[in-house]
Amino acid sequence: MWACNSGTQTDTLEKMEAEEAVSVSEADMSEETTLSLDGTLLYDKIITQKLQEYVDLQNLLIEHPEFRGELQKSLEQLARDSLIFSANEAVTISDITRMDDAEIVSDSLKRIPFSFNIVTESGTRKDSLIAVIRTKTVQIDGVNMDSYKISFEPQ
């Protein structure tokens, strides 16, 4: 494991080592997280979290190029074959917006196009991606839970 001085860097590295799937059971959802029939709010939240994880990894790579090999693998897992966007300076993401309804490829695979703003010191630009969400029901301690794996691909 890497030695880091900052809590944020340590948190990011721990996220990298964590499994990519996000699991949610009915017991885990509060009343505030009420879902629409198609899971829209849940999918939007997962997309936002994973895109932010990607940006955090990208920013860590800029700050610590000595971790390029390890960080590159994690970035590529989230972005499939190529990086979503390359940045030579730290970025933040804002205004994540679904562009269209989810394309239901199968019971376990959905593709959701969305747009967002990339904010850097140089300025702001709009970009878009497709979130590919794979759903799998797993049983843990006798409780059925949905596991979501997400990756991004260019639109």
Side-chain angles (χ1 to χ4, degrees):
M1 181 139 172
W2 307 305
C4 291
N5 297 329
S6 166
T8 303
Q9 293 167 349
T10 302
D11 293 344
T12 303
L13 293 174
E14 287 173 3
K15 283 181 190 175
M16 286 175 21
E17 294 172 355
E19 185 179 72
E20 290 298 320
V22 177
S23 297
V24 177
S25 71
E26 287 182 28
D28 292 336
M29 289 188 263
S30 68
E31 292 176 18
E32 297 172 15
T33 319
T34 304
L35 299 177
S36 64
L37 292 175
D38 66 353
T40 300
L41 295 176
L42 176 62
Y43 292 143
D44 290 350
K45 185 174 182 178
I46 292 171
I47 289 168
T48 300
Q49 288 173 344
K50 284 299 180 178
L51 187 58
Q52 186 59 54
E53 180 180 334
Y54 183 90
V55 169
D56 291 345
L57 290 170
Q58 185 95 12
N59 288 338
L60 188 60
L61 180 62
I62 292 167
E63 293 174 23
H64 297 280
E66 65 270 20
F67 297 138
R68 178 168 295 286
E70 295 84 358
L71 294 173
Q72 200 75 24
K73 290 176 192 172
S74 295
L75 288 166
E76 288 172 359
Q77 282 180 340
L78 287 169
R80 295 255 176 141
D81 299 329
S82 62
L83 298 180
I84 299 171
F85 52 85
S86 60
N88 297 325
E89 56 187 337
V91 301
T92 57
I93 298 295
S94 66
D95 300 325
I96 299 172
T97 308
R98 184 185 292 233
M99 294 171 53
D100 204 353
D101 291 334
E103 173 192 352
I104 300 171
V105 179
S106 69
D107 288 344
S108 62
L109 182 65
K110 293 179 179 53
R111 296 169 44 92
I112 302 173
F114 66 99
S115 65
F116 55 97
N117 289 330
I118 300 172
V119 182
T120 64
E121 289 181 12
S122 308
T124 301
R125 70 179 171 96
K126 195 155 191 81
D127 205 343
S128 61
L129 292 170
I130 296 175
V132 179
I133 301 176
R134 289 173 177 75
T135 307
K136 180 179 171 184
T137 301
V138 295
Q139 192 173 64
I140 300 175
D141 294 332
V143 177
N144 284 339
M145 301 178 81
D146 287 331
S147 174
Y148 300 92
K149 183 166 177 124
I150 186 167
S151 61
F152 300 105
E153 56 187 44
Q155 193 163 17

